[in-house]
Amino acid sequence: GAVVSQHPSWVICKSGTSVKIECRSLDFQATTMFWYRQFPKQSLMLMATSNEGSKATYEQGVEKDKFLINHASLTLSTLTVTSAHPEDSSFYICSARVSTSHEQYFGPGTRLTVT
Amino acid sequence: QKEVEQDPGPLSVPEGAIVSLNCTYSNSAFQYFMWYRQYSRKGPELLMYTYSSGNKEDGRFTAQVDKSSKYISLFIRDSQPSDSATYLCAMTRQAAGNKLTFGGGTRVLVKP
């Protein structure tokens, strides 16, 4: 199957700082990428849809100024958590849709801890 | 009522048994169906992708889709302890921007 990578896999940052998470499709082109957040023992919560070359579409209740998403190429999307606070601590996962079909592949996730 | 219903389990089976998982959905507009396996603290792994009613087989996995009944299933043959995980069904439609709608996940435990 297709491979999606995320970097970093785990990050600890201090309250008030910003953190950038990268999501890459390694062996396919992805015109659409999605960003999710997952709390322990809960299902994935969609945060935003990212289309290459255009502005991201955020789900209701997600602060677009806090969670900045950039999809600069067909293989890379980034999520920047700005002015992070402890309540932003979570597991962030991206997925990428294969351009020629509707399959979606997920990255391994990034664990963010804000102290 | 949720758009996609999935029994949360846990479903406990002995090693070598067949694991049977299913989801029901209410929106007949869903076109594409996926099954994912998720281990704790990992991203979901795509197991099966289908877009038409019928069966699809890949190794130990068989996916079934019955659009008339709005029901999908996943069968895992010769289950192994390494299959112990949470299994998520997901579905989407092009008109919704390909956003996935997930079931709540079924936790499966395969005992040696």
Side-chain angles (χ1 to χ4, degrees):
Chain A
V3 180
V4 176
S5 70
Q6 274 184 251
H7 178 80
S9 57
W10 188 25
V11 58
I12 301 174
C13 71
K14 292 188 176 181
S15 187
T17 61
S18 296
V19 173
K20 180 185 284 189
I21 302 170
E22 290 188 351
C23 175
R24 291 182 185 273
S25 55
L26 297 185
D27 51 3
F28 66 99
Q29 293 187 333
T31 52
T32 307
M33 291 184 172
F34 303 87
W35 286 96
Y36 295 84
R37 187 172 178 175
Q38 187 175 36
F39 294 103
K41 297 189 178 181
Q42 293 188 25
S43 193
L44 297 104
M45 182 186 79
L46 180 64
M47 298 174 65
T49 302
S50 167
N51 289 296
E52 187 263 338
S54 61
K55 290 185 178 180
T57 304
Y58 292 82
E59 295 300 300
Q60 192 172 9
V62 177
E63 299 176 61
K64 62 180 181 180
D65 293 330
K66 180 169 189 59
F67 298 100
L68 300 179
I69 292 172
N70 182 272
H71 193 158
S73 77
L74 287 172
T75 60
L76 173 64
S77 177
T78 60
L79 167 68
T80 301
V81 182
T82 63
S83 187
H85 291 285
E87 57 265 31
D88 299 323
S89 298
S90 190
F91 193 50
Y92 293 88
I93 313 174
C94 69
S95 73
R97 182 176 80 87
V98 178
S99 297
T100 53
S101 79
H102 297 272
E103 298 166 84
Q104 287 190 33
Y105 293 89
F106 283 82
T110 296
R111 185 160 305 279
L112 171 63
T113 301
V114 184
T115 62
Chain B
Q1 185 185 5
K2 294 180 182 178
E3 269 194 295
V4 181
E5 298 278 359
Q6 184 176 6
D7 189 323
L11 177 62
S12 183
V13 300
E15 183 176 355
I18 295 175
V19 175
S20 175
L21 303 164
N22 58 74
C23 290
T24 57
Y25 60 97
S26 56
N27 189 347
S28 58
F30 284 127
Q31 300 168 280
Y32 310 101
F33 305 90
M34 283 153 270
W35 284 97
Y36 291 91
R37 176 173 64 192
Q38 186 176 25
Y39 295 111
S40 180
R41 302 189 175 208
K42 299 290 184 182
E45 173 191 3
L46 179 63
L47 296 175
M48 299 292 282
Y49 164 72
T50 58
Y51 51 86
S52 59
S53 286
N55 294 355
K56 180 178 180 179
E57 189 174 315
D58 185 0
R60 296 187 297 119
F61 301 98
T62 299
Q64 286 185 349
V65 174
D66 184 343
K67 287 189 175 181
S68 62
S69 300
K70 296 200 276 290
Y71 186 91
I72 66 171
S73 300
L74 178 71
F75 300 96
I76 308 173
R77 290 182 297 281
D78 188 25
S79 59
Q80 304 296 312
S82 58
D83 293 324
S84 298
T86 296
Y87 290 79
L88 300 162
C89 65
M91 46 201 78
T92 186
R93 55 194 178 96
Q94 195 160 356
N98 295 294
K99 289 192 287 188
L100 293 178
T101 301
F102 288 94
T106 299
R107 194 160 68 90
V108 172
L109 178 62
V110 180
K111 295 184 176 180

